[in-house]
Amino acid sequence: MNARVGVYVCECGNNISDQVDIAALVPMLEGAPGVVKVMSHRLLCSKEGQEFLAEEVRKEGLTHLVVAACSPRQHLPTFMEVCKRGGLNPYLMQMANIREQCAWVTSDRHEATEKAARMIRAAIARVVRQAPLPEREVEANPDVIIIGGGLSGTVTASMLAGPERRVHVVDRNPTLAVALTSLEGVETHGGCEVEAVRGFFGNFEVELASKGSRQEVRVGAMVVCTGSRATTLQEMGYPGSEAPHVVVLPQDLEGLRPYLDALPSGQPKVMFVHCAGRERVGYCSGVCCLRSFKAMRWMVETAPNAQLSCLHQDICVPGRDGEREYQGILGIGARMTWGRLTALAQQGPQVTVSFRREDGSIGQDAADLVILVPATVPNHGARALIDIIGVEAGPAGFVEEAHPMLEPVSTSVKGIYVAGSASGPRDGRATSLLSLAAAAQIAAELRPGKTLRLEAQTSQVCEALCTGCRNCMTVCTYGAIEYDLVAQTCRVNETICRGCGNCVAACPSEAISVKGATYQQILQEIKEAVR
Amino acid sequence: MSEAPRGATIQGEEGPRALVPLLARALEKGTSDAVLLPLRTPGQDSYAFVLVKDPRLLRQADPLPPVQTVTGGRALSSLTRHGGGGVRILAVMRPCEARGAIELSKLGQVDLKDVTLITMDCPGTVPLQRFARGDLRPSAVGFADQDIRPICQVCDLSCAAVGDLHLGWGEGLAPILIPMDERGAEALLAMGLRAESDTSEWRTTVSSRSQERRERREERLGQLRVASSGLDNLMVRLDSCINCHNCMRACPICYCRVCAFDIRRQERSANEVLDLAKARGSMRLPMDTLMFHLGRMNHMSLNCVSCGACEDACPAGVPIAQLFAMVSDRTQSAFKYRAGMDRQQRSPLITFLEKELEGEDGQRC
Amino acid sequence: MTRNGDILIIGAGIGGIQASHLLSKAGHQVHLVEKTAHIGGTSIKFEDVFPNLECATCMLSPLEQELLQDPNVHLLTLTEVAGLEGGPGDFTVRLRQRARYVNLENCIGCGACYDACPVSTINEFEEGLSQRKAICIPCAGTLPNVPRIDKEVCIRFKGQECVACQQACMFEAVEYGQEDRDIELKVGAVLVAVGSGTMDVRELPHLSYGVHPGVFTSLELERLNASNGPTEGKIQLRDGRAPNRVALVHCVGRRERTLCSGVCCRYLLKFRHYLRHKLPCAEVLEFHGDLCLPNKGDQRFLGEMAPDGEGLVRAEVVRIEVEGDYLKVIHRRDGREAIETVDMVVLSPALTPPKGATELARTLGVELADDGFFVVNGVASSRPGILILGGASGPKDIRETVVEALAAAGGACKAVMEGEDGK
């Protein structure tokens, strides 16, 4: 072997040396294949330790480095930097965690030393089989395409458009809001739909189609702002909902006027029914209770004679002002009844509302006008669009976030973001904030003029072994694997691959492996550890 | 199937040969580009899967030979691995072979897009080695025959209607061709037949046949499980293995270009082998007899269709098909999967379920 | 006027951390100021987070590690803001950093000094459920893994000659000579990420908190359940007994503060999961009002935590009385009072404006609303160039905090570039 492996054991002050007999350990490692130098050091992560190590790499002409110290979680980046400073590819270094995984958990000193020796020999066996991995960069297109020209699309566009970044906004509606079309640096595509998406983060090709014409737009990132809609009477499925005095609460309250004008004189009864459609959709839409309360307040002013009542389930009013609003509504004298709507029936001028109480009993009430507060569902065509662009839909049909808490505006496809109510029911404030968040994320990750740093430890396919079964493609959540129709094998897109290794587990032929964690590397490490 | 299918009674011969004129007509009319089915070989009185364009050659056809040579799935994959190319094929084979083809289609090795699969009730086959040696050479196998292979004797899916068309026949039942899906229905029409006959007699016969086989399968494989429990006992079952890897080569499901067990990485240095011999007292060479079979079970038991090609191919008499059936039944049922039965159900390996193997106590694979 | 691209972030909880990451990625230098000696805020106190019951440490510690190693992030612990002048793109901020008395570079976190210290006091991080030393980290796993000396309890700082910790340290990391210092920075924008507080349930004496060893707050339960907590994960009463019957009480302080804190329904359901695992034989009763489950996956979460509504009691808890070892939960349902006897009660106190909000608002020159939370329009405060994110402007869960953190980071960049903040 032409390898020149240097093995450096850190004493970590007394942390490791207390339990591991360093003096006995060093000679146990000297004979290992490829090893040209073994030394111990008091504290390798210190500034002095790092300088020493970098100098050793240079001085001894080391081809591989093993650092036996603490957890890679703590200092892997540190020692990778040391390699770079010493002129060694950082992927030719292996750490053996003889602190957390040995000294700190083994009570017998002899056992601890023996274990440390095994771990380090295993690291040596592995490191000599590692290959240098280059750090690569790729050019990226800073332009962005936003699908949907509503509130979230407009806010996102306004935050991103600038002299160095072109923003495209696509909407299937031919007429777009002035707030959007008047933005500088924003190119709108009204009356268009997304037909296909190719490429990857930094280099997407999006095909747009409108009546008769096609257009291709090249961008670096995409934002899904397709919004949501109210569930319809038909979808809700309540018997009797076609009754003339039953209406779904519209977005614009002025839409209720014709119904108010038709109310009888005197003290007509107006009932707001919450959670309409909730059983069918299976979730609480979170924003409707407050919407309903706002509507009730409007009603108090617009139709002061009306007797308001409210059939509701659990009232959901999180947020700073929610409880205050709720208490306020209780103060206006509306009759609040807990119940699940089961059926409606127009009986003469009034509508009979049947509902089930929490104890299971059935109740009935009557009103002159019934306003159903509808559940929020994904917008028309959302499903089809999700399939076209390749992001994931959650069980409710909304776009699924990459991580429900930490990545609220990213999707499983790197470079495709989601904002507004496309990812779930939202109120105006939340829509705005999500749009700002998506814009901020893109502004940070796709900077005009900057190249993208790629993950070094990506998967690779051995064409000779690949049978084209495409198992790997099926399990790759990032869409980083393509099927090459000519070679009839799979190929990894190194720009989007994140090196998670799902593909390696799914390949029956062992034709795909992650660089820096190949079968041979791991096998030899294990063999040495248990020898 | 939601409601009981109806079939078309076929006139002519009693058994699967009744299909032959229908296949010939399909070729003549041009409703199919080619037919894939077993033909008697010109020389040695054996059988091979042949892609037939000339309807006259169908005279040599035997849709259900008494012995299984190359399995139908493998024949189909060698044809359509790189896509079916739009060639419309009528492929005739046993249920286990068809199930193999269906599994292969899930693995990207068979393209079923333009293939109409025709399956038929299968009475079983005789062991290939005995047939080849000449000491058991029936011209056909009947449903009452006891000389069929051990794996056939415990096959509860011998009449599984997994094709687009399925032929029910045997034991007094007039041959009835049953369409199992839309493609089958179209093919039937193209053959000039109408699905007007009741299939209840066939269903009853198949049901009792499968039930009997199922019970026998549980009994026999249960006994085998006991007899091979523990690695030592398993090794005894594999006693005569000569590491030829023929079972892997004959298996329709094993489609890897190079088997992981044939790759250089399986080799060990002399010192490693000596170390292991020291630890255990001795070491059988070449190594990896047990490991090869366990590895193969690990890789493909979820897709195993119990076709028995492996046991036919084994020169050393290892009951390998039965061992694999014993394991595959458990691994597949752990994931509520039966290889080749449902074209829409994806292979468990690439199916993610939030909750898997939960509430399964006791029997685990 | 030169526009300074550096950003000041006050508070190193999950909001401050996520904002720092994004700004660093965008090429800005971040000064992350944290009042305590550690980062992570409130979220690191949890074992699991709703609704997917992910391990909180697994979720947070990679982010924390990355932050500590990020050359663009200048972390200043034990630091508070003393004064702020200027406008967007050109702020001058004065910080006061208290001495840690431990050298951050030399210390490797071995913990030898904690063992040596003779002084024990109440551990506030552990909600008072355990003790800590005068030199310590709050609990295993907090980052940075470097202790500090609490001047208030350390006997050396009271005049006694004690060098126990310095002697125990092999790395010369203990430095008694360190001093509090003033730091002046120039930044382009300021993000306030100081989180919310929780109400003191002693304000509601009818709930018997502090009177009976079986009454706990939600944060106390989180620490009991935490594997790195005072009982290593065992949920037990203060006297060590395992409870047989546990009452979870929703909406504590909701009426008094006119505030739905939004997160309690979900975390109380999460507590079902904790209790099911740690005390499989214990019976759990959940006294609730309107269940607040606003997100698309929450209904399913409810179904998993309380299948068929088991254990859910729609009732308002009127008072909790002590009866020897037990607690009587007197609640009102359907207009009538009923009593359930339990041995453990967990209260969900309302979220409040952060401690020190008034001071901070005054120092920064931003407005507070009547309810004591920071005034916001989106994430913009009342003063250009200063943005508020997370619990400081109202109760939030982790998701909403992160959304605001990202939005505020974007707003900060805009403020720096244009001298106006994003709305």
Side-chain angles (χ1 to χ4, degrees), chain B residues 223-245:
Chain B
Q223 284 165 359
L224 185 60
R225 195 167 285 124
V226 169
S228 50
S229 119
L231 289 179
D232 286 340
N233 285 330
L234 186 59
M235 261 319 290
V236 168
R237 308 273 84 71
L238 298 169
D239 252 1
S240 42
C241 177
I242 63 170
N243 306 67
C244 64
H245 294 185

PDB file of all heavy atoms in Angstrom, chain B residues 223-245:
ATOM      1  N   GLN B 223     -43.632 -28.346   9.200  1.00  0.00           N
ATOM      2  CA  GLN B 223     -42.699 -29.406   9.599  1.00  0.00           C
ATOM      3  C   GLN B 223     -41.279 -29.015   9.220  1.00  0.00           C
ATOM      4  O   GLN B 223     -40.333 -29.220   9.971  1.00  0.00           O
ATOM      5  CB  GLN B 223     -43.061 -30.721   8.903  1.00  0.00           C
ATOM      6  CG  GLN B 223     -44.256 -31.413   9.510  1.00  0.00           C
ATOM      7  CD  GLN B 223     -44.803 -32.494   8.592  1.00  0.00           C
ATOM      8  OE1 GLN B 223     -44.297 -32.711   7.484  1.00  0.00           O
ATOM      9  NE2 GLN B 223     -45.837 -33.178   9.033  1.00  0.00           N
ATOM     10  N   LEU B 224     -41.151 -28.469   8.032  1.00  0.00           N
ATOM     11  CA  LEU B 224     -39.822 -28.063   7.568  1.00  0.00           C
ATOM     12  C   LEU B 224     -39.248 -26.981   8.468  1.00  0.00           C
ATOM     13  O   LEU B 224     -38.045 -26.966   8.770  1.00  0.00           O
ATOM     14  CB  LEU B 224     -39.911 -27.555   6.123  1.00  0.00           C
ATOM     15  CG  LEU B 224     -38.574 -27.217   5.459  1.00  0.00           C
ATOM     16  CD1 LEU B 224     -37.665 -28.423   5.409  1.00  0.00           C
ATOM     17  CD2 LEU B 224     -38.792 -26.653   4.067  1.00  0.00           C
ATOM     18  N   ARG B 225     -40.130 -26.103   8.923  1.00  0.00           N
ATOM     19  CA  ARG B 225     -39.681 -25.008   9.792  1.00  0.00           C
ATOM     20  C   ARG B 225     -39.093 -25.573  11.082  1.00  0.00           C
ATOM     21  O   ARG B 225     -38.046 -25.134  11.556  1.00  0.00           O
ATOM     22  CB  ARG B 225     -40.861 -24.090  10.097  1.00  0.00           C
ATOM     23  CG  ARG B 225     -40.440 -22.751  10.673  1.00  0.00           C
ATOM     24  CD  ARG B 225     -41.579 -21.745  10.670  1.00  0.00           C
ATOM     25  NE  ARG B 225     -41.855 -21.218   9.342  1.00  0.00           N
ATOM     26  CZ  ARG B 225     -43.037 -21.276   8.735  1.00  0.00           C
ATOM     27  NH1 ARG B 225     -44.070 -21.824   9.326  1.00  0.00           N
ATOM     28  NH2 ARG B 225     -43.188 -20.772   7.530  1.00  0.00           N
ATOM     29  N   VAL B 226     -39.766 -26.550  11.609  1.00  0.00           N
ATOM     30  CA  VAL B 226     -39.260 -27.172  12.837  1.00  0.00           C
ATOM     31  C   VAL B 226     -37.933 -27.862  12.554  1.00  0.00           C
ATOM     32  O   VAL B 226     -36.958 -27.721  13.297  1.00  0.00           O
ATOM     33  CB  VAL B 226     -40.304 -28.175  13.379  1.00  0.00           C
ATOM     34  CG1 VAL B 226     -39.703 -29.023  14.469  1.00  0.00           C
ATOM     35  CG2 VAL B 226     -41.524 -27.446  13.890  1.00  0.00           C
ATOM     36  N   ALA B 227     -37.888 -28.581  11.439  1.00  0.00           N
ATOM     37  CA  ALA B 227     -36.688 -29.347  11.106  1.00  0.00           C
ATOM     38  C   ALA B 227     -35.503 -28.459  10.766  1.00  0.00           C
ATOM     39  O   ALA B 227     -34.358 -28.893  10.838  1.00  0.00           O
ATOM     40  CB  ALA B 227     -36.979 -30.272   9.926  1.00  0.00           C
ATOM     41  N   SER B 228     -35.768 -27.224  10.387  1.00  0.00           N
ATOM     42  CA  SER B 228     -34.638 -26.358  10.029  1.00  0.00           C
ATOM     43  C   SER B 228     -34.481 -25.204  11.005  1.00  0.00           C
ATOM     44  O   SER B 228     -33.852 -24.205  10.694  1.00  0.00           O
ATOM     45  CB  SER B 228     -34.820 -25.815   8.608  1.00  0.00           C
ATOM     46  OG  SER B 228     -36.098 -25.280   8.453  1.00  0.00           O
ATOM     47  N   SER B 229     -35.030 -25.382  12.181  1.00  0.00           N
ATOM     48  CA  SER B 229     -34.971 -24.274  13.125  1.00  0.00           C
ATOM     49  C   SER B 229     -33.612 -24.194  13.777  1.00  0.00           C
ATOM     50  O   SER B 229     -33.071 -25.195  14.264  1.00  0.00           O
ATOM     51  CB  SER B 229     -36.114 -24.415  14.130  1.00  0.00           C
ATOM     52  OG  SER B 229     -35.615 -24.547  15.405  1.00  0.00           O
ATOM     53  N   GLY B 230     -33.043 -23.022  13.763  1.00  0.00           N
ATOM     54  CA  GLY B 230     -31.670 -22.854  14.247  1.00  0.00           C
ATOM     55  C   GLY B 230     -30.720 -23.017  13.082  1.00  0.00           C
ATOM     56  O   GLY B 230     -30.962 -23.795  12.159  1.00  0.00           O
ATOM     57  N   LEU B 231     -29.613 -22.293  13.122  1.00  0.00           N
ATOM     58  CA  LEU B 231     -28.691 -22.311  11.992  1.00  0.00           C
ATOM     59  C   LEU B 231     -28.100 -23.703  11.763  1.00  0.00           C
ATOM     60  O   LEU B 231     -27.871 -24.104  10.618  1.00  0.00           O
ATOM     61  CB  LEU B 231     -27.571 -21.287  12.206  1.00  0.00           C
ATOM     62  CG  LEU B 231     -28.015 -19.826  12.095  1.00  0.00           C
ATOM     63  CD1 LEU B 231     -26.850 -18.887  12.349  1.00  0.00           C
ATOM     64  CD2 LEU B 231     -28.619 -19.544  10.724  1.00  0.00           C
ATOM     65  N   ASP B 232     -27.866 -24.442  12.825  1.00  0.00           N
ATOM     66  CA  ASP B 232     -27.276 -25.781  12.659  1.00  0.00           C
ATOM     67  C   ASP B 232     -28.208 -26.676  11.859  1.00  0.00           C
ATOM     68  O   ASP B 232     -27.792 -27.371  10.929  1.00  0.00           O
ATOM     69  CB  ASP B 232     -26.986 -26.395  14.025  1.00  0.00           C
ATOM     70  CG  ASP B 232     -25.780 -25.734  14.674  1.00  0.00           C
ATOM     71  OD1 ASP B 232     -24.982 -25.114  13.929  1.00  0.00           O
ATOM     72  OD2 ASP B 232     -25.640 -25.811  15.902  1.00  0.00           O
ATOM     73  N   ASN B 233     -29.482 -26.663  12.242  1.00  0.00           N
ATOM     74  CA  ASN B 233     -30.447 -27.499  11.520  1.00  0.00           C
ATOM     75  C   ASN B 233     -30.624 -27.018  10.094  1.00  0.00           C
ATOM     76  O   ASN B 233     -30.800 -27.811   9.167  1.00  0.00           O
ATOM     77  CB  ASN B 233     -31.811 -27.492  12.238  1.00  0.00           C
ATOM     78  CG  ASN B 233     -31.768 -28.338  13.493  1.00  0.00           C
ATOM     79  OD1 ASN B 233     -31.022 -29.320  13.568  1.00  0.00           O
ATOM     80  ND2 ASN B 233     -32.548 -27.972  14.491  1.00  0.00           N
ATOM     81  N   LEU B 234     -30.586 -25.717   9.903  1.00  0.00           N
ATOM     82  CA  LEU B 234     -30.718 -25.177   8.547  1.00  0.00           C
ATOM     83  C   LEU B 234     -29.555 -25.653   7.694  1.00  0.00           C
ATOM     84  O   LEU B 234     -29.719 -26.027   6.528  1.00  0.00           O
ATOM     85  CB  LEU B 234     -30.772 -23.647   8.603  1.00  0.00           C
ATOM     86  CG  LEU B 234     -31.047 -22.921   7.288  1.00  0.00           C
ATOM     87  CD1 LEU B 234     -32.368 -23.363   6.692  1.00  0.00           C
ATOM     88  CD2 LEU B 234     -31.056 -21.414   7.489  1.00  0.00           C
ATOM     89  N   MET B 235     -28.381 -25.665   8.275  1.00  0.00           N
ATOM     90  CA  MET B 235     -27.208 -26.130   7.539  1.00  0.00           C
ATOM     91  C   MET B 235     -27.390 -27.593   7.125  1.00  0.00           C
ATOM     92  O   MET B 235     -26.969 -27.991   6.054  1.00  0.00           O
ATOM     93  CB  MET B 235     -25.937 -26.018   8.391  1.00  0.00           C
ATOM     94  CG  MET B 235     -25.092 -24.800   8.126  1.00  0.00           C
ATOM     95  SD  MET B 235     -24.898 -24.323   6.403  1.00  0.00           S
ATOM     96  CE  MET B 235     -23.861 -25.615   5.772  1.00  0.00           C
ATOM     97  N   VAL B 236     -28.027 -28.372   7.970  1.00  0.00           N
ATOM     98  CA  VAL B 236     -28.247 -29.778   7.615  1.00  0.00           C
ATOM     99  C   VAL B 236     -29.114 -29.869   6.363  1.00  0.00           C
ATOM    100  O   VAL B 236     -28.858 -30.663   5.465  1.00  0.00           O
ATOM    101  CB  VAL B 236     -28.900 -30.529   8.803  1.00  0.00           C
ATOM    102  CG1 VAL B 236     -29.396 -31.894   8.375  1.00  0.00           C
ATOM    103  CG2 VAL B 236     -27.908 -30.637   9.943  1.00  0.00           C
ATOM    104  N   ARG B 237     -30.122 -29.049   6.285  1.00  0.00           N
ATOM    105  CA  ARG B 237     -30.979 -29.028   5.083  1.00  0.00           C
ATOM    106  C   ARG B 237     -30.158 -28.638   3.867  1.00  0.00           C
ATOM    107  O   ARG B 237     -30.454 -29.021   2.742  1.00  0.00           O
ATOM    108  CB  ARG B 237     -32.150 -28.059   5.226  1.00  0.00           C
ATOM    109  CG  ARG B 237     -32.998 -28.222   6.470  1.00  0.00           C
ATOM    110  CD  ARG B 237     -34.128 -29.235   6.301  1.00  0.00           C
ATOM    111  NE  ARG B 237     -33.747 -30.607   6.527  1.00  0.00           N
ATOM    112  CZ  ARG B 237     -33.445 -31.133   7.701  1.00  0.00           C
ATOM    113  NH1 ARG B 237     -33.474 -30.395   8.792  1.00  0.00           N
ATOM    114  NH2 ARG B 237     -33.122 -32.388   7.809  1.00  0.00           N
ATOM    115  N   LEU B 238     -29.112 -27.821   4.084  1.00  0.00           N
ATOM    116  CA  LEU B 238     -28.283 -27.343   2.971  1.00  0.00           C
ATOM    117  C   LEU B 238     -27.017 -28.180   2.816  1.00  0.00           C
ATOM    118  O   LEU B 238     -26.097 -27.806   2.079  1.00  0.00           O
ATOM    119  CB  LEU B 238     -27.891 -25.873   3.215  1.00  0.00           C
ATOM    120  CG  LEU B 238     -29.044 -24.875   3.282  1.00  0.00           C
ATOM    121  CD1 LEU B 238     -28.558 -23.521   3.790  1.00  0.00           C
ATOM    122  CD2 LEU B 238     -29.671 -24.693   1.913  1.00  0.00           C
ATOM    123  N   ASP B 239     -26.999 -29.283   3.535  1.00  0.00           N
ATOM    124  CA  ASP B 239     -25.850 -30.196   3.531  1.00  0.00           C
ATOM    125  C   ASP B 239     -25.192 -30.395   2.180  1.00  0.00           C
ATOM    126  O   ASP B 239     -23.985 -30.305   2.041  1.00  0.00           O
ATOM    127  CB  ASP B 239     -26.333 -31.590   3.964  1.00  0.00           C
ATOM    128  CG  ASP B 239     -25.852 -31.933   5.344  1.00  0.00           C
ATOM    129  OD1 ASP B 239     -25.156 -31.081   5.962  1.00  0.00           O
ATOM    130  OD2 ASP B 239     -26.157 -33.035   5.800  1.00  0.00           O
ATOM    131  N   SER B 240     -26.003 -30.730   1.189  1.00  0.00           N
ATOM    132  CA  SER B 240     -25.410 -31.150  -0.075  1.00  0.00           C
ATOM    133  C   SER B 240     -25.113 -29.996  -1.026  1.00  0.00           C
ATOM    134  O   SER B 240     -24.678 -30.204  -2.135  1.00  0.00           O
ATOM    135  CB  SER B 240     -26.308 -32.178  -0.759  1.00  0.00           C
ATOM    136  OG  SER B 240     -27.644 -31.775  -0.629  1.00  0.00           O
ATOM    137  N   CYS B 241     -25.309 -28.754  -0.590  1.00  0.00           N
ATOM    138  CA  CYS B 241     -25.094 -27.609  -1.480  1.00  0.00           C
ATOM    139  C   CYS B 241     -23.663 -27.574  -1.985  1.00  0.00           C
ATOM    140  O   CYS B 241     -22.725 -27.771  -1.206  1.00  0.00           O
ATOM    141  CB  CYS B 241     -25.414 -26.319  -0.725  1.00  0.00           C
ATOM    142  SG  CYS B 241     -25.115 -24.825  -1.694  1.00  0.00           S
ATOM    143  N   ILE B 242     -23.513 -27.336  -3.296  1.00  0.00           N
ATOM    144  CA  ILE B 242     -22.157 -27.301  -3.836  1.00  0.00           C
ATOM    145  C   ILE B 242     -21.756 -25.896  -4.276  1.00  0.00           C
ATOM    146  O   ILE B 242     -20.825 -25.719  -5.046  1.00  0.00           O
ATOM    147  CB  ILE B 242     -21.992 -28.299  -5.014  1.00  0.00           C
ATOM    148  CG1 ILE B 242     -22.915 -27.898  -6.177  1.00  0.00           C
ATOM    149  CG2 ILE B 242     -22.244 -29.722  -4.559  1.00  0.00           C
ATOM    150  CD1 ILE B 242     -22.617 -28.685  -7.458  1.00  0.00           C
ATOM    151  N   ASN B 243     -22.462 -24.880  -3.776  1.00  0.00           N
ATOM    152  CA  ASN B 243     -22.116 -23.483  -4.058  1.00  0.00           C
ATOM    153  C   ASN B 243     -22.045 -23.159  -5.548  1.00  0.00           C
ATOM    154  O   ASN B 243     -21.236 -22.331  -5.958  1.00  0.00           O
ATOM    155  CB  ASN B 243     -20.761 -23.097  -3.428  1.00  0.00           C
ATOM    156  CG  ASN B 243     -20.693 -23.385  -1.954  1.00  0.00           C
ATOM    157  OD1 ASN B 243     -20.716 -24.534  -1.532  1.00  0.00           O
ATOM    158  ND2 ASN B 243     -20.640 -22.338  -1.151  1.00  0.00           N
ATOM    159  N   CYS B 244     -22.879 -23.813  -6.339  1.00  0.00           N
ATOM    160  CA  CYS B 244     -22.818 -23.512  -7.770  1.00  0.00           C
ATOM    161  C   CYS B 244     -23.600 -22.257  -8.124  1.00  0.00           C
ATOM    162  O   CYS B 244     -23.426 -21.689  -9.188  1.00  0.00           O
ATOM    163  CB  CYS B 244     -23.330 -24.700  -8.581  1.00  0.00           C
ATOM    164  SG  CYS B 244     -25.068 -25.076  -8.300  1.00  0.00           S
ATOM    165  N   HIS B 245     -24.508 -21.843  -7.207  1.00  0.00           N
ATOM    166  CA  HIS B 245     -25.348 -20.648  -7.430  1.00  0.00           C
ATOM    167  C   HIS B 245     -26.321 -20.839  -8.591  1.00  0.00           C
ATOM    168  O   HIS B 245     -26.863 -19.868  -9.112  1.00  0.00           O
ATOM    169  CB  HIS B 245     -24.506 -19.376  -7.666  1.00  0.00           C
ATOM    170  CG  HIS B 245     -23.707 -18.959  -6.460  1.00  0.00           C
ATOM    171  ND1 HIS B 245     -22.971 -17.803  -6.414  1.00  0.00           N
ATOM    172  CD2 HIS B 245     -23.510 -19.546  -5.264  1.00  0.00           C
ATOM    173  CE1 HIS B 245     -22.364 -17.703  -5.238  1.00  0.00           C
ATOM    174  NE2 HIS B 245     -22.672 -18.763  -4.526  1.00  0.00           N
TER     175      HIS B 245
END
